[in-house]
Every structure is written in structure tokens, then in C-alpha cells.
Short mmCIF file of all heavy atoms in Angstrom, two decimals:
data_model
loop_
_atom_site.label_atom_id
_atom_site.label_comp_id
_atom_site.label_asym_id
_atom_site.label_seq_id
_atom_site.Cartn_x
_atom_site.Cartn_y
_atom_site.Cartn_z
N ASP A 1 -93.07 56.97 64.15
CA ASP A 1 -93.94 55.99 64.79
C ASP A 1 -95.35 56.03 64.23
O ASP A 1 -96.18 55.19 64.60
CB ASP A 1 -93.99 56.22 66.30
CG ASP A 1 -92.67 55.95 66.98
OD1 ASP A 1 -92.00 54.95 66.64
OD2 ASP A 1 -92.29 56.73 67.88
N THR A 2 -95.65 57.00 63.39
CA THR A 2 -96.98 57.13 62.81
C THR A 2 -97.30 55.90 61.97
O THR A 2 -96.56 55.54 61.05
CB THR A 2 -97.08 58.39 61.96
OG1 THR A 2 -96.92 59.54 62.79
CG2 THR A 2 -98.42 58.46 61.24
N ALA A 3 -98.42 55.25 62.28
CA ALA A 3 -98.81 54.02 61.59
C ALA A 3 -100.15 53.56 62.14
O ALA A 3 -100.64 54.08 63.15
CB ALA A 3 -97.77 52.92 61.77
N ILE A 4 -100.72 52.58 61.48
CA ILE A 4 -101.83 51.83 62.06
C ILE A 4 -101.24 50.68 62.85
O ILE A 4 -100.41 49.92 62.34
CB ILE A 4 -102.79 51.30 60.99
CG1 ILE A 4 -103.37 52.45 60.16
CG2 ILE A 4 -103.92 50.51 61.64
CD1 ILE A 4 -104.24 52.00 59.01
N TYR A 5 -101.66 50.57 64.09
CA TYR A 5 -101.15 49.54 64.98
C TYR A 5 -102.18 48.42 65.12
O TYR A 5 -103.35 48.67 65.42
CB TYR A 5 -100.81 50.13 66.35
CG TYR A 5 -99.53 50.92 66.34
CD1 TYR A 5 -99.46 52.14 65.69
CD2 TYR A 5 -98.38 50.44 66.98
CE1 TYR A 5 -98.28 52.87 65.66
CE2 TYR A 5 -97.21 51.17 66.96
CZ TYR A 5 -97.16 52.38 66.30
OH TYR A 5 -95.99 53.11 66.27
N TYR A 6 -101.72 47.19 64.91
CA TYR A 6 -102.59 46.03 64.91
C TYR A 6 -102.23 45.09 66.04
O TYR A 6 -101.05 44.82 66.29
CB TYR A 6 -102.48 45.26 63.60
CG TYR A 6 -102.93 46.02 62.37
CD1 TYR A 6 -102.02 46.77 61.63
CD2 TYR A 6 -104.26 45.98 61.96
CE1 TYR A 6 -102.42 47.46 60.51
CE2 TYR A 6 -104.66 46.67 60.83
CZ TYR A 6 -103.74 47.41 60.11
OH TYR A 6 -104.14 48.09 58.99
N CYS A 7 -103.23 44.56 66.69
CA CYS A 7 -103.06 43.53 67.70
C CYS A 7 -103.10 42.16 67.04
O CYS A 7 -103.86 41.93 66.10
CB CYS A 7 -104.17 43.66 68.74
SG CYS A 7 -104.05 42.50 70.12
N ASN A 8 -102.28 41.26 67.54
CA ASN A 8 -102.15 39.93 66.98
C ASN A 8 -102.17 38.89 68.10
O ASN A 8 -101.56 39.10 69.16
CB ASN A 8 -100.84 39.83 66.18
CG ASN A 8 -100.44 38.42 65.83
OD1 ASN A 8 -99.77 37.74 66.61
ND2 ASN A 8 -100.84 37.98 64.65
N ALA A 9 -102.85 37.79 67.85
CA ALA A 9 -102.86 36.66 68.78
C ALA A 9 -102.50 35.40 68.02
O ALA A 9 -102.95 35.21 66.88
CB ALA A 9 -104.22 36.51 69.45
N ARG A 10 -101.73 34.53 68.65
CA ARG A 10 -101.24 33.33 67.97
C ARG A 10 -101.20 32.16 68.93
O ARG A 10 -100.76 32.31 70.08
CB ARG A 10 -99.85 33.61 67.39
CG ARG A 10 -99.13 32.41 66.82
CD ARG A 10 -97.85 32.85 66.13
NE ARG A 10 -97.07 33.75 66.94
CZ ARG A 10 -96.18 33.37 67.86
NH1 ARG A 10 -95.98 32.06 68.09
NH2 ARG A 10 -95.51 34.27 68.55
N ILE A 11 -101.64 31.01 68.44
CA ILE A 11 -101.54 29.78 69.22
C ILE A 11 -101.35 28.63 68.26
O ILE A 11 -101.95 28.59 67.18
CB ILE A 11 -102.77 29.57 70.13
CG1 ILE A 11 -102.53 28.41 71.10
CG2 ILE A 11 -104.03 29.34 69.31
CD1 ILE A 11 -103.57 28.30 72.20
N THR A 12 -100.52 27.70 68.65
CA THR A 12 -100.25 26.52 67.84
C THR A 12 -100.92 25.31 68.47
O THR A 12 -100.70 25.02 69.64
CB THR A 12 -98.74 26.27 67.70
OG1 THR A 12 -98.13 27.38 67.05
CG2 THR A 12 -98.49 25.02 66.87
N ARG A 13 -101.73 24.66 67.68
CA ARG A 13 -102.32 23.38 68.05
C ARG A 13 -101.93 22.42 66.95
O ARG A 13 -102.66 22.23 65.98
CB ARG A 13 -103.83 23.51 68.21
CG ARG A 13 -104.24 24.38 69.38
CD ARG A 13 -105.70 24.71 69.36
NE ARG A 13 -106.10 25.44 70.56
CZ ARG A 13 -107.15 26.24 70.63
NH1 ARG A 13 -107.92 26.41 69.56
NH2 ARG A 13 -107.43 26.85 71.76
N SER A 14 -100.76 21.84 67.12
CA SER A 14 -100.10 21.03 66.10
C SER A 14 -101.07 20.09 65.42
O SER A 14 -101.85 19.40 66.08
CB SER A 14 -98.94 20.25 66.74
OG SER A 14 -98.22 19.57 65.74
N PRO A 15 -101.02 20.07 64.06
CA PRO A 15 -100.07 20.77 63.18
C PRO A 15 -100.56 22.11 62.67
O PRO A 15 -100.03 22.62 61.69
CB PRO A 15 -99.94 19.78 62.02
CG PRO A 15 -101.33 19.23 61.88
CD PRO A 15 -101.87 19.12 63.28
N VAL A 16 -101.55 22.71 63.32
CA VAL A 16 -102.18 23.92 62.83
C VAL A 16 -101.79 25.10 63.72
O VAL A 16 -101.78 24.98 64.95
CB VAL A 16 -103.71 23.79 62.79
CG1 VAL A 16 -104.36 25.08 62.29
CG2 VAL A 16 -104.11 22.62 61.91
N GLU A 17 -101.44 26.22 63.09
CA GLU A 17 -101.23 27.47 63.81
C GLU A 17 -102.39 28.41 63.53
O GLU A 17 -102.72 28.66 62.38
CB GLU A 17 -99.92 28.13 63.40
CG GLU A 17 -99.63 29.41 64.18
CD GLU A 17 -98.32 30.05 63.82
OE1 GLU A 17 -98.17 30.48 62.65
OE2 GLU A 17 -97.42 30.08 64.68
N TYR A 18 -102.98 28.94 64.58
CA TYR A 18 -104.08 29.88 64.46
C TYR A 18 -103.56 31.29 64.72
O TYR A 18 -102.87 31.53 65.72
CB TYR A 18 -105.18 29.54 65.46
CG TYR A 18 -105.85 28.21 65.19
CD1 TYR A 18 -105.35 27.03 65.73
CD2 TYR A 18 -107.00 28.13 64.41
CE1 TYR A 18 -105.95 25.81 65.49
CE2 TYR A 18 -107.62 26.92 64.16
CZ TYR A 18 -107.10 25.76 64.71
OH TYR A 18 -107.71 24.55 64.46
N VAL A 19 -103.91 32.20 63.84
CA VAL A 19 -103.47 33.59 63.94
C VAL A 19 -104.70 34.49 63.80
O VAL A 19 -105.51 34.31 62.88
CB VAL A 19 -102.43 33.95 62.88
CG1 VAL A 19 -102.00 35.40 63.04
CG2 VAL A 19 -101.23 33.02 62.98
N TYR A 20 -104.80 35.46 64.69
CA TYR A 20 -105.93 36.38 64.69
C TYR A 20 -105.43 37.81 64.68
O TYR A 20 -104.39 38.12 65.27
CB TYR A 20 -106.82 36.16 65.92
CG TYR A 20 -107.33 34.75 66.05
CD1 TYR A 20 -106.62 33.80 66.78
CD2 TYR A 20 -108.52 34.36 65.44
CE1 TYR A 20 -107.08 32.50 66.90
CE2 TYR A 20 -108.98 33.06 65.56
CZ TYR A 20 -108.27 32.14 66.29
OH TYR A 20 -108.73 30.84 66.40
N TRP A 21 -106.17 38.70 64.02
CA TRP A 21 -105.82 40.10 63.90
C TRP A 21 -106.98 41.00 64.29
O TRP A 21 -108.13 40.70 63.99
CB TRP A 21 -105.42 40.44 62.47
CG TRP A 21 -104.16 39.79 62.01
CD1 TRP A 21 -104.05 38.61 61.34
CD2 TRP A 21 -102.83 40.28 62.19
NE1 TRP A 21 -102.73 38.33 61.08
CE2 TRP A 21 -101.95 39.34 61.59
CE3 TRP A 21 -102.29 41.41 62.78
CZ2 TRP A 21 -100.58 39.51 61.57
CZ3 TRP A 21 -100.91 41.58 62.77
CH2 TRP A 21 -100.08 40.65 62.17
N GLY A 22 -106.66 42.10 64.94
CA GLY A 22 -107.63 43.16 65.13
C GLY A 22 -107.71 44.04 63.91
O GLY A 22 -106.98 43.86 62.92
N GLN A 23 -108.60 45.03 63.95
CA GLN A 23 -108.79 45.92 62.81
C GLN A 23 -107.86 47.12 62.82
O GLN A 23 -107.79 47.85 61.83
CB GLN A 23 -110.25 46.39 62.75
CG GLN A 23 -111.22 45.27 62.42
CD GLN A 23 -112.63 45.77 62.20
OE1 GLN A 23 -112.99 46.87 62.63
NE2 GLN A 23 -113.43 44.96 61.53
N GLY A 24 -107.15 47.33 63.90
CA GLY A 24 -106.14 48.38 63.95
C GLY A 24 -106.62 49.65 64.60
O GLY A 24 -107.81 49.96 64.65
N THR A 25 -105.66 50.42 65.11
CA THR A 25 -105.91 51.74 65.66
C THR A 25 -104.82 52.68 65.17
O THR A 25 -103.64 52.33 65.15
CB THR A 25 -105.97 51.70 67.21
OG1 THR A 25 -106.32 52.99 67.72
CG2 THR A 25 -104.65 51.25 67.82
N GLN A 26 -105.22 53.87 64.75
CA GLN A 26 -104.30 54.82 64.14
C GLN A 26 -103.53 55.59 65.21
O GLN A 26 -104.12 56.13 66.15
CB GLN A 26 -105.06 55.81 63.25
CG GLN A 26 -104.19 56.90 62.63
CD GLN A 26 -103.29 56.37 61.54
OE1 GLN A 26 -103.73 55.64 60.66
NE2 GLN A 26 -102.01 56.74 61.59
N VAL A 27 -102.22 55.63 65.04
CA VAL A 27 -101.35 56.47 65.85
C VAL A 27 -100.69 57.49 64.93
O VAL A 27 -100.05 57.11 63.95
CB VAL A 27 -100.28 55.65 66.59
CG1 VAL A 27 -99.26 56.57 67.27
CG2 VAL A 27 -100.92 54.73 67.61
N THR A 28 -100.85 58.76 65.24
CA THR A 28 -100.25 59.84 64.47
C THR A 28 -99.44 60.72 65.41
O THR A 28 -99.97 61.22 66.40
CB THR A 28 -101.30 60.67 63.75
OG1 THR A 28 -102.09 59.83 62.90
CG2 THR A 28 -100.64 61.75 62.89
N VAL A 29 -98.17 60.92 65.08
CA VAL A 29 -97.28 61.74 65.89
C VAL A 29 -96.90 62.96 65.06
O VAL A 29 -96.30 62.84 63.99
CB VAL A 29 -96.02 60.97 66.31
CG1 VAL A 29 -95.17 61.82 67.23
CG2 VAL A 29 -96.41 59.66 66.98
N SER A 30 -97.24 64.14 65.55
CA SER A 30 -96.96 65.37 64.85
C SER A 30 -95.53 65.82 65.08
O SER A 30 -94.91 65.50 66.11
CB SER A 30 -97.93 66.47 65.28
OG SER A 30 -97.78 66.76 66.67
#
């Protein structure tokens, strides 16, 4: 499960889809 986890938001306003991303947060499992 170790990875950088990113949040995503999406909305469609036809004919355009808008997508947004966060900068991420690190998860490390020993």
C-alpha cells in the first residue's frame, strides 16, 4: 500500500470535463 495518495475531483459540464488534483500525501507501511 506504500505510495503517494492523490485526491481527485471531477465534474462534467458538457462538452467539457473538469478534473482537479491535489499534491498528494505519502503513505508508507513498514
Side-chain angles (χ1 to χ4, degrees):
D1 293 318
T2 295
I4 301 175
Y5 284 70
Y6 297 91
C7 183
N8 167 273
R10 172 173 48 86
I11 189 169
T12 299
R13 294 169 174 156
S14 186
V16 179
E17 183 178 64
Y18 295 88
V19 181
Y20 304 91
W21 293 94
Q23 292 187 340
T25 184
Q26 177 72 47
V27 172
T28 303
V29 184
S30 63

